[in-house]
Amino acid sequence: MGPLVLNTRPDTDSTDLLAALDKRGYRHLSAPMLNITFPVPTGPLDIKKYQAVIFTSANGVRAFAKLTGDRSLPAYCVGDATARMCATFGFDDVYSANGDINDLATLIRKKVDPAHGPLFHPAARKTAGDLGQMLLTDGYEVDRQTVYEAHESNSVPEDVLEALRNHHIEAVLFFSPRTAETFVKLVRSYKLERDLSGTSAICLSPAVQSKISDLTWYRTRVASQPTQEYLLSELGSLS
């Protein structure tokens, strides 16, 4: 039996990750730190005035697909997983920054002429960064609309609590600053701080790592590039 790993991603984003862990021989438990909900659309979305759509998460793609069947706009995506979700929903013109929000801003500056019209950014109410503000000085108009909600979890599953308290979990995987923040809140709520001294934290980026740095870990690792593949490479280096 392989090492036991804790996944903190929302259920909607975990399918590929859990399959990858299975393939690598890891056992896993899940404690989603965010619960994703999609409001019922009040009417169809008119995207005719936009020249492109920006996706900073796969859930943004899922929400967009609920709002309109129009796939005519080019899609600029933060990473490959989000780009694959676009392809799944029928987008033909898809670009991936293969990184984080800063890489996405760089990609947009290279590929998109701000003079050709505004960009549509379907997103959660809270995001890891303000892409519109980042691009504003370059002349881009970004229309960000809340199309889904990411609610912080207020509890930890009993099987995960037991595994943490018995020091059975070798590593916890963190993919976003907000999931990391929520995990820290719950660890303190359940008084689990001392139970992490033998557990490693594997983080997608330095921004994610900064949110869990106040806890006492056996070690922390950061993916050399902000993708699932590189995060799992760091997990493999613990063996």
Side-chain angles (χ1 to χ4, degrees), residues 135-157:
L135 293 170
L136 184 63
T137 55
D138 298 295
Y140 293 91
E141 179 185 349
V142 177
D143 181 6
R144 190 180 92 182
Q145 294 187 21
T146 299
V147 294
Y148 71 93
E149 296 280 1
H151 305 279
E152 293 183 0
S153 298
N154 55 18
S155 64
V156 177

Side-chain angles (χ1 to χ4, degrees), residues 44-45 47 63-73 89-91:
L45 174 68
I47 60 172
F64 181 89
K66 293 176 182 293
L67 294 172
T68 177
D70 191 333
R71 304 290 184 265
S72 61
L73 294 179
F89 279 103
F91 283 90

Side-chain angles (χ1 to χ4, degrees), residues 25-229:
Y26 291 98
R27 295 174 297 136
H28 49 79
L29 293 173
S30 291
M33 293 292 104
L34 298 174
N35 300 306
I36 308 300
T37 60
F38 300 94
V40 177
T42 57
L45 174 68
D46 184 2
I47 60 172
K48 292 184 178 64
K49 68 177 181 178
Y50 303 108
Q51 65 160 315
V53 60
I54 303 170
F55 292 114
T56 48
S57 72
N59 285 313
V61 182
R62 295 184 182 99
F64 181 89
K66 293 176 182 293
L67 294 172
T68 177
D70 191 333
R71 304 290 184 265
S72 61
L73 294 179
Y76 292 87
C77 303
V78 68
D80 291 349
T82 303
R84 288 194 296 271
M85 186 63 66
C86 281
T88 298
F89 279 103
F91 283 90
D92 293 322
D93 197 5
V94 181
Y95 302 88
S96 172
N98 192 29
D100 59 16
I101 191 172
N102 296 294
D103 298 306
L104 179 55
T106 299
L107 175 66
I108 291 168
R109 293 184 187 106
K110 288 180 179 179
K111 296 286 189 180
V112 181
D113 185 344
H116 291 169
L119 310 175
F120 181 60
H121 181 198
R125 190 173 304 279
K126 292 184 178 180
T127 60
D130 191 338
L131 186 60
Q133 192 63 37
M134 293 169 65
L135 293 170
L136 184 63
T137 55
D138 298 295
Y140 293 91
E141 179 185 349
V142 177
D143 181 6
R144 190 180 92 182
Q145 294 187 21
T146 299
V147 294
Y148 71 93
E149 296 280 1
H151 305 279
E152 293 183 0
S153 298
N154 55 18
S155 64
V156 177
E158 285 298 325
D159 58 343
V160 174
L161 285 175
E162 181 179 356
L164 287 170
R165 286 169 174 157
N166 288 300
H167 308 151
H168 291 164
I169 293 176
E170 179 166 328
V172 184
L173 309 183
F174 295 105
F175 283 79
S176 75
R178 195 170 173 209
T179 56
E181 282 181 329
T182 305
F183 181 85
V184 171
K185 290 177 185 177
L186 288 173
V187 162
R188 290 171 174 159
S189 173
Y190 283 95
K191 303 187 185 307
L192 297 170
E193 292 94 334
R194 295 183 180 180
D195 296 315
L196 297 174
S197 59
T199 301
S200 297
I202 314 297
C203 304
L204 190 70
S205 68
V208 176
Q209 183 190 37
S210 70
K211 301 300 183 181
I212 53 90
S213 60
D214 287 344
L215 298 178
T216 301
W217 299 92
Y218 175 62
R219 68 180 72 169
T220 61
R221 295 289 183 92
V222 179
S224 58
Q225 295 185 34
T227 68
Q228 178 173 293
E229 179 182 353

